Amino acid sequence: MSKRRRGKTPPDLPGLYFDRTKNRYFPLEHRHRQPSTSDDGPSGAAAEAAGSSSKSRPKKHPGSSQRPVTEPTHPICPTSLPSLLMSRQHGSISQGLFERRSYQALAYNKSKQVVGGRCHGGTVTHLLLDKAGEVLITSAKGGHGGSLWKYKVTPCNKFYIHLQRDGDVLFSPESEITDLNFMPPCSSSGPVALVGLLGGAGEHGRVSMFDYQQNCVLSTYYVQNSTVWSCSADPVNTHSLCIGAVREGLILDMVSNTRRSLFTHKSDVLCIRPAHTTPVVYTGCRNKLLICHDLRSRDSVFEVEHQSSVSDVLVLPREERVLCSAFNGQVVQWDMRSRRHVITYPGHVNDYARVKMRVDEGESVLVIPGKDLQTRIWALDTGKLLNCVPPPIEDSTIGHHNIPACEVGLNWAGLYPGFAIAATGLLYWHSF
């Protein structure tokens, strides 16, 4: 004992401790995982080297401020986000523990994708986010017919949401749903969704106005012997509907039930979008043309040609700028004053699908899902590709026909700014 006391004690080095059995230094993080196996019993030397030796394990004192490196796992607390939410709803874990574990799971997975719950079976084709915190989703039923569902959203924190189905299916027509948009707010009715139905096989294409608060169809407008590819409400003339049909575009007056045909060179109108403050309508046609129509005159204002058929058109709040995407993956921004494209957005993948483009309220980013199931984010003003989000579900059974549907929201349901994305029955929220 006297010899041991007379021996020199190794100096303390920051972040290291000295193991006498191996006669070398080790990082402090190994102190709890690899305890020393010395034959020496507890003695005065062990007390002297308590800060630098691993012979004695660290003891917990009631007044000590030292904490273990790893937090002990809660016996009933799961680690995955869906299981955490289910345990919180059942009351098996506290709100504080839920928030702490959810943030730990997000940091561990190194992902900003947050699952909101299972919506329904089938492929999600359209997705709308209501500012009141409701989600409208349509899903195809094996390629025949469609369905309209409504879900109420309960935010659990800034990243996590929970979906609760509000009743049974709202609307289940026999025809496929081709377009879904919001109607401008009107004092005479509640919130209304405009649903375009394909038609075909002896059935006329039609456009239905659906009140998703009262769960009822307000009115339906038929297009005789034609197919409805797209539909939009005119924000300038609130009693008019814009319909993209076979070989023509239509302006329907809901009050007088009169229709006006737009000249499109006898080509199918795959998308039709009105301007926000002027009586101008843009039609994207199968013959690769983007046509600008001034409703104050009978003739079209001008036409611009793309490399492939136009799949979607989006009129920006700055109405001199129009976004246009084609089936070959070309995405460009047009300046309507100079009639030339000013910005190109590279990287989009598409061959055949009519995919909708989304722009945030601040007009800073452009979000488009692609055929390769990747959702790409560009800077709207520069065209720089900012991010490429992988598919919500990494499953080999998901085919290329299950292109995700997305919708952008800056201040929706108390979440961080981002966009919702849904593919095969699961809704995710990806924050910017």
Side-chain angles (χ1 to χ4, degrees):
M1 182 67 66
S2 60
K3 292 182 180 181
R4 185 179 303 175
R5 288 181 179 175
R6 287 194 298 268
K8 293 184 179 180
T9 303
D12 293 336
L13 300 181
L16 301 174
Y17 75 97
F18 186 80
D19 192 342
R20 292 182 179 274
T21 59
K22 298 181 180 181
N23 196 28
R24 56 169 295 187
Y25 288 92
F26 289 95
L28 283 177
E29 58 184 11
H30 293 178
R31 187 184 184 93
H32 304 285
R33 293 186 296 178
Q34 299 177 358
S36 177
T37 55
S38 175
D39 295 335
D40 297 336
S43 60
E48 293 178 2
S52 59
S53 175
S54 60
K55 286 192 236 179
S56 58
R57 297 182 180 179
K59 298 181 180 181
K60 296 183 179 179
H61 300 280
S64 176
S65 59
Q66 297 180 355
R67 293 184 180 180
V69 176
T70 57
E71 186 179 354
T73 305
H74 198 276
I76 60 173
C77 183
T79 56
S80 64
L81 290 175
S83 303
L84 278 170
L85 181 61
M86 187 176 298
S87 301
R88 178 68 189 104
Q89 292 174 343
H90 293 166
S92 55
I93 60 176
S94 63
Q95 179 66 22
L97 182 60
F98 166 76
E99 293 181 358
R100 185 166 63 254
R101 289 295 183 183
S102 62
Y103 281 103
Q104 288 176 356
L106 286 171
Y108 175 77
N109 295 329
K110 297 181 180 179
S111 172
K112 293 183 180 180
Q113 289 190 2
V114 183
V115 62
R118 178 164 294 277
C119 305
H120 49 74
T123 303
V124 178
T125 56
H126 295 85
L127 179 63
L128 286 182
L129 300 182
D130 189 281
K131 292 183 178 180
E134 295 177 351
V135 180
L136 287 177
I137 300 176
T138 64
S139 65
K141 299 185 297 186
H144 301 284
S147 57
L148 186 66
W149 304 78
K150 182 176 72 171
Y151 294 85
K152 290 186 177 180
V153 177
T154 305
C156 300
N157 54 32
K158 290 292 183 181
F159 296 98
Y160 203 85
I161 57 178
H162 170 59
L163 293 182
Q164 180 182 2
R165 182 181 298 177
D166 190 4
D168 205 350
V169 56
L170 300 181
F171 188 42
S172 182
E174 296 180 358
S175 181
E176 180 183 349
I177 296 177
T178 57
D179 205 353
L180 180 65
N181 294 294
F182 282 129
M183 290 281 292
C186 181
S187 57
S188 59
S189 61
V192 176
L194 194 63
V195 185
L197 303 174
L198 180 66
E203 185 180 2
H204 302 298
R206 63 188 187 272
V207 177
S208 298
M209 297 173 59
F210 189 83
D211 188 341
Y212 58 87
Q213 216 172 36
Q214 302 296 329
N215 299 347
C216 62
V217 177
L218 301 179
S219 57
T220 301
Y221 302 94
Y222 291 87
V223 181
Q224 301 293 331
N225 303 321
S226 182
T227 297
V228 173
W229 293 109
S230 178
C231 60
S232 297
D234 193 344
V236 178
N237 192 359
T238 55
H239 54 80
S240 295
L241 296 179
C242 304
I243 302 174
V246 175
R247 306 182 69 179
E248 64 177 350
L250 296 174
I251 304 298
L252 172 64
D253 193 323
M254 296 181 289
V255 178
S256 60
N257 200 20
T258 58
R259 305 183 183 190
R260 173 184 172 181
S261 179
L262 302 177
F263 179 71
T264 60
H265 299 277
K266 296 184 179 181
S267 177
D268 295 352
V269 177
L270 301 181
C271 55
I272 183 169
R273 298 291 180 260
H276 299 283
T277 58
T278 56
V280 176
V281 176
Y282 298 91
T283 56
C285 306
R286 196 184 294 274
N287 60 359
K288 308 179 184 180
L289 291 180
L290 170 64
I291 307 177
C292 177
H293 307 269
D294 192 339
L295 301 183
R296 293 166 292 191
S297 63
R298 285 291 176 180
D299 300 330
S300 60
V301 178
F302 63 89
E303 304 168 356
V304 292
E305 187 175 1
H306 294 77
Q307 300 174 2
S308 180
S309 300
V310 179
S311 63
D312 191 26
V313 176
L314 183 61
V315 183
L316 298 178
R318 298 173 293 176
E319 296 187 1
E320 68 274 6
R321 298 295 180 93
V322 176
L323 293 173
C324 189
S325 64
F327 281 109
N328 65 341
Q330 179 189 17
V331 182
V332 295
Q333 181 179 148
W334 291 91
D335 189 343
M336 296 292 100
R337 297 171 297 183
S338 60
R339 302 183 185 182
R340 63 184 181 89
H341 68 271
V342 292
I343 301 177
T344 302
Y345 303 91
H348 180 51
V349 180
N350 192 14
D351 284 338
Y352 61 89
R354 296 170 55 245
V355 181
K356 283 192 173 184
M357 301 179 290
R358 300 298 185 186
V359 174
D360 65 325
E361 299 175 0
E363 299 183 49
S364 58
V365 295
L366 170 65
V367 182
I368 310 178
K371 177 191 171 183
D372 56 350
L373 308 183
Q374 304 284 331
T375 302
R376 292 172 174 83
I377 307 173
W378 293 271
L380 185 63
D381 294 333
T382 62
K384 180 182 178 181
L385 183 62
L386 302 177
N387 196 2
C388 187
V389 181
I393 308 174
E394 296 182 0
D395 192 349
S396 59
T397 61
I398 300 179
H400 289 291
H401 61 282
N402 294 328
I403 298 179
C406 69
E407 180 68 287
V408 178
L410 285 183
N411 189 15
W412 184 77
L415 299 173
Y416 281 125
F419 65 92
I421 181 172
T424 55
L426 282 175
L427 178 71
Y428 285 74
W429 181 266
H430 191 283
S431 61
F432 292 138

